[in-house]
Amino acid sequence: MRIVIINGPNLNLIGTRSPEIYGTTTLDELDALCHGWGVEAECVIETYQSNHEGDIIDRLHAARGADGVIINPGAFTHYSYAIRDAIDAIGLPTVEVHISNVRDREPWRRVSVVSDVCVSTIFGRGIPGYRDAIRHLTARAAWPVETIAYGPDSDNVGDLRIPRGESPHPVAVLLHGGHWRDTAARDLLDPAAVDLTRRGWATWNIEFARVGSGGGFRSTTADVAQAIGSLSDFAEGHELDLSNVVVIGHGSGGHLALLAAVGKSEVPISAIVALAPIGDLE
């Protein structure tokens, strides 16, 4: 698998530019880290940086023989429809990455014109966001995924993976951690989803409202309950066994799993697995 990583304007200055925001890792060090993460993920990484819009577009066009793209467009994120169209035109799964939490900065930084043509947007995780983007692309390539909306909000979606073999399939509902903050997202459990699907489980890796995107105790727990209940809407078409539904949560997702166990659900929950849960065990 070959992944092209493209960094846009002013990313050549990371390490010295506003280190309180972007950290002290230089671009050369970032490139080296990405190549190392590529080795771990058994894929080839190509890195590129430019301060010029046209050069970035040309590099996107040249990436058409690759398997995926990771792009940090820098300030072009907020207004370059030309880069957006280039991402759309090449037809490759593309992950948008930002080192800082762009949703917690100036209002103009909260606007992205490229997000809608990307398969995922990762922000506010610092340099490790690039590692997570590599893992997300390799997970998408490892097992086909269908993204399904379970509600009206943008965060009301989940990734469904269906195993091979006999059906109906038992179901593992996955709840990611991250202290319910919007810098964390369901991509964090992609490797677990792929592993469980290989073992014969249908996996429903869900997103939910988080703090920073309308989340909080009531809305977040309501989203989880709705996502679990929505399994009944597509169980027949995907040959799911709703008599065997296990909810697995990590960290604050483990807290959500425990809450789901004592809450009301339209779909019966067979078991809960709370991995290092942040919760009140009482």
Side-chain angles (χ1 to χ4, degrees):
M1 185 173 179
R2 185 162 65 94
I3 297 174
V4 177
I5 299 178
I6 300 174
N7 283 300
N10 299 311
L11 271 300
N12 56 306
L13 298 180
I14 60 169
T16 57
R17 175 197 176 199
S18 303
E20 71 280 4
I21 296 175
Y22 300 105
T24 57
T25 302
T26 67
L27 182 63
D28 287 342
E29 291 169 338
L30 170 60
D31 287 348
L33 286 168
C34 288
H35 287 294
W37 291 325
V39 171
E40 292 176 3
E42 299 182 343
C43 61
V44 175
I45 300 295
E46 299 176 9
T47 57
Y48 177 81
Q49 188 276 329
S50 176
N51 296 319
H52 305 285
E53 183 179 33
D55 290 345
I56 292 172
I57 292 169
D58 288 341
R59 187 64 186 90
L60 283 164
H61 292 175
R64 280 178 289 184
D67 299 291
V69 171
I70 296 167
I71 186 168
N72 182 341
F76 287 137
T77 301
H78 317 298
Y79 65 91
S80 179
Y81 288 97
I83 290 177
R84 179 221 178 270
D85 285 350
I87 295 170
D88 190 36
I90 62 175
L92 295 175
T94 300
V95 178
E96 174 189 3
V97 171
H98 300 285
I99 296 171
S100 68
N101 184 352
V102 290
R103 292 188 183 177
D104 198 32
R105 297 180 63 188
E106 304 94 327
W108 59 271
R109 292 190 192 271
R110 302 169 194 171
V111 176
S112 172
V113 301
V114 304
S115 290
D116 69 319
V117 290
C118 294
V119 296
S120 181
T121 297
I122 294 173
F123 63 93
R125 301 184 196 174
I127 296 300
Y130 289 83
R131 175 204 60 199
D132 295 341
I134 292 169
R135 290 178 177 175
H136 179 65
L137 288 175
T138 55
R140 291 182 68 90
W143 204 279
V145 59
E146 179 182 358
T147 300
I148 300 174
Y150 66 81
D153 296 332
S154 60
D155 285 329
N156 294 160
V157 296
D159 292 334
L160 181 68
R161 285 180 167 89
I162 301 297
R164 303 181 183 96
E166 286 189 32
S167 60
H169 309 290
V171 183
V173 179
L174 301 180
L175 307 176
H176 68 81
H179 299 279
W180 302 6
R181 295 176 297 197
D182 62 355
T183 52
R186 66 190 186 279
D187 68 277
L188 295 173
L189 287 183
D190 279 341
V194 171
D195 184 70
L196 284 164
T197 308
R198 283 175 173 156
R199 296 170 186 269
W201 288 79
T203 56
W204 179 223
N205 186 12
I206 67 167
E207 199 53 84
F208 40 83
R210 290 142 294 152
V211 177
S213 62
F217 188 85
R218 291 185 179 180
S219 56
T220 300
T221 53
D223 277 1
V224 170
Q226 185 177 357
I228 296 172
S230 73
L231 286 167
S232 60
D233 297 334
F234 49 84
E236 185 175 349
H238 294 83
E239 300 182 303
L240 305 180
D241 180 5
L242 296 190
S243 69
N244 192 359
V245 175
V246 174
V247 178
I248 304 172
H250 175 257
S252 58
H255 188 179
L256 293 172
L258 293 168
L259 289 168
V262 297
K264 295 181 180 179
S265 175
E266 298 177 15
V267 172
I269 296 173
S270 304
I272 295 290
V273 181
L275 302 168
I278 301 172
D280 183 347
L281 293 180
E282 183 181 355

